[in-house]
Amino acid sequence: MNLLTLIKMQLNVSFNWSALKWYAKHDKKKILGGIALVIIVIASLAPLYYFVAVNFFKTVFLSGYSLGQPEFVLTFAIVSVSMLVLIFAIPFIMAIFYFSRDLALLVPLPFWPREIIGAKFITVVIQEYLTVLPFMLPALYFYGTGVRAGLYFWLVGALITLILPIIPLTIISAAILVLMRVTNLGKRKDLLRYLGMTLFLVAVLAFNYFVTQLETLSQEEIMKLIFAREGLASLVSRAYPPALWATRALTAQGAAALLNLALFVALTLVGIMIMLFLGDRLFYRGLIGGDEVTARKDISSDRLAKGMSQVSAPAWAIAKREIKVLVRTPIYFFNSIGVILIAPLAMFLPLIWGNALEPILTMLSAVRPLYLNLGAAASIALVAAFAPAASTSFSREGKQFWLSQVMPVAPREQINGKIIYSLLLSLLGIPLVFLASVLLFHWNIQELILISLVGICLTLPSITVSLLIDLLRPYLTWPNPQVAIKQNLNAVFAMVATGGLYYLTYQFAMYMMHRQFSDLLIYGGVAAFALLLAAIPYGIMVRIADQRFREIIAP
Amino acid sequence: MIKLHGVSKSYNKGAVKAVDNLSLSVKPGEIFGFLGPNGAGKTTTIKMMVGLLQSDSGTITINGYNIEQEPLKAKSSLSYVPDNPEVYEKLTGLEYLNFLADVYRVPARIRKERMERFLQLFEMTQAVGDLIQSYSHGMRQKIVLIGALLHEPEVFILDEPMVGLDPKSAHNLKEYMREHCNQGKTVFFSTHVLEVAEKLCDRIGIIRRGQLIACGTMAELKQQAQNEGSLEKIFLELTEV
């Protein structure tokens, strides 16, 4: 009974049920605004999802179907979604199990550790459906309608979709429970978080490597697989064997189907049991280690004197504060700086592993330098645009926002500090361009300077529009930093708005090229256009900042 | 130094009146204690005084500056210590203090001298190089206090400042508050520790359901309550429904 209460409470807190009910009763405007926002997000992402993901699954189904292997789309979706859950849930599980603020409240209550772990695990599973459904629904739909499947298929399909994220989540949970206890690094919470993130990075690259190895099979091997029964499905499920059981549970006949379903469900249950067993034995010990405080190190008088004499202008002090907090909070670090560094690696490494670089370089050598240079400048901006550093800048202040409100620094100057910090982060993309120059494109120094300058100008619209969005609706009441940056709709809105601004910039560049302006004029024009686009959200921010700083209620 | 005139604030579209037509003034050189039961409106009043909340009506003046019309000038004259010391956990104590000194524009030489003095006063010198996340509640409270004192504010506003402080630090803080006021500056603080208010404050205001129900020196309060007892007795009598 207690366990049910705990689960209910965890679900309530995770999905803000009570708050939603309260607003529905007392502040209808707010709830309607929230619903409208969700609709806007879905509406802005739906076309992209339809054209990219749905059509992709249709193509996968048709390709498999034409080879007599229609089930391939199911295995492909199950493997993809399981790998995604496996990779992306690592920091999530770490944050929910070990760094939630409610743990200080829950641990002294009369619950077994397995009950706390179990209740938190259920909330994670439910949140993972956001990853599972976009993959499984089109795969089930195309297969089910394509082979005219019966009721059994749809029922088992629903069951498998519901339990699909559990196996990868139990694997991660068990690994994290063991890691927290065995390595005994609990007192260094941040080190652990970085370790988790490194695991995440290794998993991403391993996944990439796996995918590229699939592409580099010899012609003979590919032919063999194409014509073998369940050949493609067996190949893809090598990365995640339970996927084959799930596929067979959906596609086989009679007892074979039931046997495979039983295997898949049994493995899911075993995963849960192992996790709960480990939870009972390891959770509290790892957790209590996390609350131990390290011995204080005395600060030397020299360091103290030096530290006390460092003076900065307020805007620069704010930029420094933002950078320090970002770098020292692993979740923030990984999601902003990590993205800037990992995204290009994740793009390049598969090309190198897959021996695909050479043909691409040959193709690019025929491209007009102007296009290539503008593309490189755009990549600096795009990489920065994917990092939610600016779009969650106000939100990340959370309960500390009161400091920004009481300090005698004009909101405009505080915004300037945040722009400086965001710009400094985006400069991290420039060394990557230099690296690409050394390894691939061999740009001369003038070109490198030009690319960097245009790149910096192009990052500014993304920074100012992202800050504006976050200033308009800062999310300050987050329970842990993971939520502040990963479950913050402002990051999605900022990406959509940035996409719009970059589309306008692209159209402007195309117009200039069409009118056959000189290359230099085009570079200058694109940079000036970007600065103009950046100035608009900046101007709005400056106009509303004083009022917004007064209106926002710090939690 | 501090003037509140007809200040009101309500929540839930007027359903809950947190502060109701509150007027009071605190003179230079005065320590003013702000008392009231839980939920009486103390923190809401303080938050409006420092610019964290907007009042629905009325005016608040700090050191001659209206907090809504000249917020930066008002904020430059005041320092605020909240009831819950939420500060940047990922900064070291020293970085946090330097950050505040930067935003309050305290020159290098002065900030060094003041940091040394206050760090010593609150026995934080050894801990100042550590990340704030490793601090206890009391240490966080002390680092917030030190940060608030760096620019030697004309008006020092504190919400429940004694909570979490060890006896020595609480004593040092009280001494400092007195010294601060002796220089002609002002201290305004809320507290539930009535003995502290009785001994330390020049004047005391008692708020109940958003309204100031009594205000004055101890002698004046006794007269208003027609009670010659302690502040505790007067408080209980006045705040009883």
Side-chain angles (χ1 to χ4, degrees):
Chain A
M1 202 58 193
N2 265 353
L3 178 62
L4 281 180
T5 314
L6 178 63
I7 293 170
K8 230 172 91 183
M9 176 60 72
Q10 284 293 310
L11 292 172
N12 186 340
V13 172
S14 300
F15 301 103
N16 281 332
W17 286 348
S18 291
L20 289 173
K21 270 195 262 176
W22 191 90
Y23 283 123
K25 214 170 168 187
H26 296 94
D27 193 350
K28 287 210 165 55
K29 238 187 202 171
K30 187 152 184 160
I31 203 99
L32 289 175
I35 292 169
L37 278 178
V38 172
I39 291 172
I40 291 171
V41 170
I42 293 172
S44 42
L45 294 177
L48 186 75
Y49 172 67
Y50 181 78
F51 287 116
V52 178
V54 176
N55 280 332
F56 175 73
F57 278 102
K58 191 176 178 182
T59 312
V60 172
F61 170 71
L62 290 175
S63 313
Y65 191 79
S66 65
L67 295 168
Q69 300 184 41
E71 75 285 348
F72 175 59
V73 70
L74 296 172
T75 320
F76 181 79
I78 293 167
V79 170
S80 309
V81 90
S82 303
M83 297 305 278
L84 276 178
V85 170
L86 198 64
I87 291 166
F88 285 100
I90 294 173
F92 191 32
I93 293 259
M94 182 91 95
I96 297 263
F97 278 13
Y98 285 95
F99 305 110
S100 309
R101 287 191 178 159
D102 65 349
L103 285 168
L105 176 81
L106 291 178
V107 173
L109 295 178
F111 287 115
W112 290 106
R114 63 170 177 271
E115 292 174 327
I116 296 177
I117 286 280
K120 288 194 168 289
F121 185 80
I122 289 172
T123 64
V124 177
V125 171
I126 292 174
Q127 294 186 47
E128 285 303 321
Y129 289 138
L130 278 177
T131 311
V132 172
L133 293 177
F135 281 75
M136 285 307 288
L137 290 182
L140 288 170
Y141 172 78
F142 288 120
Y143 180 86
T145 53
V147 303
R148 294 168 196 265
L151 183 66
Y152 167 84
F153 170 82
W154 296 108
L155 289 176
V156 174
L159 176 67
I160 285 180
T161 304
L162 284 178
I163 62 174
L164 193 56
I166 294 179
I167 297 174
L169 287 175
T170 54
I171 295 171
I172 303 167
S173 305
I176 286 174
L177 284 165
V178 172
L179 185 83
M180 290 290 279
R181 179 66 196 106
V182 175
T183 54
N184 201 20
L185 292 168
K187 58 193 167 196
R188 303 184 74 104
K189 283 185 180 182
D190 292 347
L191 180 63
L192 259 174
R193 287 171 183 173
Y194 280 115
L195 202 66
M197 303 309 164
T198 312
L199 268 177
F200 169 84
L201 176 61
V202 170
V204 169
L205 294 177
F207 183 61
N208 250 318
Y209 180 72
F210 167 75
V211 171
T212 52
Q213 288 312 294
L214 283 183
E215 289 162 3
T216 53
L217 289 172
S218 72
Q219 198 69 21
E220 199 182 328
E221 285 169 307
I222 291 171
M223 292 309 281
K224 243 194 232 170
L225 282 168
I226 287 175
F227 294 110
R229 193 170 158 269
E230 287 185 347
L232 290 172
S234 324
L235 176 73
V236 173
S237 64
R238 267 196 261 166
Y240 184 66
L244 201 57
W245 301 341
T247 310
R248 286 176 181 158
L250 285 163
T251 58
Q253 302 292 318
L258 289 176
L259 181 70
N260 278 290
L261 180 64
L263 273 173
F264 192 73
V265 172
L267 187 68
T268 305
L269 292 174
V270 168
I272 294 172
M273 275 155 56
I274 291 175
M275 181 194 69
L276 295 179
F277 174 81
L278 290 174
D280 254 350
R281 269 143 195 83
L282 306 176
F283 179 50
Y284 277 2
R285 290 192 224 172
L287 186 68
I288 290 161
D291 277 345
E292 288 164 4
V293 177
T294 45
R296 220 164 277 296
K297 282 186 203 152
D298 286 358
I299 185 167
S300 71
S301 51
D302 278 357
R303 215 185 116 211
L304 190 59
K306 201 177 155 199
M308 286 174 177
S309 317
Q310 288 169 352
V311 182
S312 307
W316 180 238
I318 284 160
K320 280 201 303 191
R321 175 201 67 188
E322 295 278 306
I323 290 168
K324 281 174 184 164
V325 172
L326 187 96
V327 168
R328 292 172 191 174
T329 312
I331 302 280
Y332 297 160
F333 177 84
F334 185 77
N335 283 293
S336 47
I337 296 178
V339 166
I340 292 177
L341 298 175
I342 292 165
L345 276 181
M347 264 157 38
F348 270 116
L349 287 179
L351 295 178
I352 295 168
W353 283 331
N355 296 326
L357 210 52
E358 209 130 309
I360 291 177
L361 280 179
T362 317
M363 195 181 79
L364 287 177
S365 63
V367 171
R368 190 175 155 193
L370 171 74
Y371 297 163
L372 199 59
N373 295 351
L374 282 178
S379 68
I380 294 175
L382 276 178
V383 168
F386 277 111
S391 57
T392 57
S393 182
F394 291 103
S395 296
R396 290 197 313 269
E397 289 192 46
K399 287 183 178 171
Q400 284 110 41
F401 192 70
W402 70 271
L403 276 160
S404 298
Q405 288 178 299
V406 301
M407 67 175 67
V409 177
R412 176 189 182 148
E413 207 168 346
Q414 296 192 41
I415 288 166
N416 290 344
K418 285 178 186 287
I419 290 176
I420 294 172
Y421 129 85
S422 309
L423 205 53
L424 285 174
L425 280 193
S426 63
L427 293 184
L428 286 174
I430 292 177
L432 291 171
V433 168
F434 277 60
L435 190 71
S437 176
V438 172
L439 294 176
L440 310 169
F441 301 114
H442 313 295
W443 285 302
N444 62 38
I445 190 74
Q446 287 98 321
E447 279 178 311
L448 280 172
I449 292 170
L450 200 64
I451 290 168
S452 305
L453 286 177
V454 178
I456 290 168
C457 292
L458 283 171
T459 55
L460 278 166
S462 166
I463 290 172
T464 54
V465 81
S466 302
L467 282 173
L468 172 63
I469 288 168
D470 202 34
L471 176 65
L472 286 171
R473 48 184 311 278
Y475 172 38
L476 302 169
T477 52
W478 39 266
N480 62 58
Q482 169 82 12
V483 178
I485 198 159
K486 292 299 281 181
Q487 291 174 35
N488 192 338
L489 274 180
N490 292 353
V492 180
F493 289 135
M495 255 190 250
V496 172
T498 300
L501 295 180
Y502 285 164
Y503 179 73
L504 290 177
T505 315
Y506 168 76
Q507 287 297 342
F508 180 75
M510 292 309 287
Y511 168 79
M512 288 191 83
M513 287 173 199
H514 194 69
R515 296 289 303 265
Q516 297 186 327
F517 284 102
S518 74
D519 284 6
L520 206 60
L521 216 57
I522 293 174
Y523 289 124
V526 168
F529 189 76
L531 290 178
L532 183 73
L533 285 182
I536 298 168
Y538 179 74
I540 298 172
M541 262 193 292
V542 167
R543 255 182 103 86
I544 65 167
D546 285 350
Q547 185 60 25
R548 284 302 294 143
F549 267 59
R550 278 200 296 271
E551 284 168 355
I552 295 168
I553 296 174
Chain B
M1 208 55 110
I2 300 175
K3 268 189 190 155
L4 280 80
H5 183 71
V7 175
S8 294
K9 175 78 186 172
S10 55
Y11 296 116
N12 296 345
K13 294 174 183 165
V16 180
K17 221 153 197 184
V19 177
D20 190 3
N21 197 26
L22 182 72
S23 297
L24 62 85
S25 65
V26 186
K27 294 188 283 277
E30 209 171 47
I31 300 184
F32 189 90
F34 198 42
L35 315 180
N38 292 333
K42 299 186 297 295
T43 298
T44 302
T45 305
I46 288 178
K47 283 188 168 177
M48 286 191 287
M49 288 164 65
V50 301
L52 282 173
L53 281 177
Q54 276 182 290
S55 58
D56 296 339
S57 59
T59 54
I60 298 171
T61 314
I62 305 287
N63 198 26
Y65 304 113
N66 184 306
I67 188 74
E68 297 211 358
Q69 285 161 9
E70 295 176 285
L72 293 191
K73 285 180 179 162
K75 287 174 186 176
S76 296
S77 330
L78 68 83
S79 251
Y80 165 60
V81 176
D83 53 348
N84 192 11
E86 284 283 353
V87 280
Y88 310 114
E89 295 197 334
K90 298 292 173 184
L91 297 188
T92 64
L94 185 57
E95 286 169 344
Y96 171 71
L97 295 180
N98 251 325
F99 170 70
L100 284 185
D102 283 337
V103 299
Y104 283 103
R105 297 172 170 87
V106 183
R109 192 182 49 76
I110 299 175
R111 81 169 63 175
K112 187 168 180 288
E113 180 268 311
R114 284 182 192 164
M115 270 190 213
E116 278 170 349
R117 179 154 58 97
F118 292 126
L119 284 170
Q120 226 162 20
L121 182 70
F122 291 106
E123 296 178 327
M124 285 289 288
T125 310
Q126 295 312 313
V128 78
D130 294 319
L131 286 179
I132 292 174
Q133 70 180 19
S134 70
Y135 288 5
S136 65
H137 179 87
M139 289 164 83
R140 287 176 193 221
Q141 184 78 352
K142 287 198 257 183
I143 205 77
V144 174
L145 270 169
I146 297 169
L149 295 172
L150 284 179
H151 70 291
E152 300 220 320
E154 292 297 318
V155 178
F156 194 22
I157 299 172
L158 309 96
D159 196 358
E160 303 278 357
M162 307 300 169
V163 177
L165 288 185
D166 56 68
K168 191 175 175 191
S169 301
H171 172 79
N172 287 341
L173 175 62
K174 285 182 273 182
E175 293 276 293
Y176 178 79
M177 283 156 90
R178 176 49 62 203
E179 190 187 309
H180 192 70
C181 287
N182 289 342
Q183 294 166 13
K185 294 168 182 170
T186 304
V187 173
F188 182 105
F189 75 104
S190 73
T191 185
H192 286 297
V193 190
L194 300 179
E195 292 81 4
V196 170
E198 187 170 358
K199 283 182 189 154
L200 190 66
C201 298
D202 300 310
R203 283 198 309 136
I204 290 164
I206 300 175
I207 185 174
R208 192 187 69 187
R209 293 179 189 161
Q211 291 178 328
L212 195 67
I213 52 169
C215 188
T217 60
M218 263 310 285
E220 287 166 347
L221 287 183
K222 283 178 183 173
Q223 205 177 9
Q224 282 176 44
Q226 294 178 333
N227 186 329
E228 281 302 309
S230 64
L231 179 60
E232 187 180 24
K233 282 190 178 149
I234 295 170
F235 178 85
L236 290 174
E237 191 181 311
L238 287 173
T239 53
E240 232 166 54
V241 185

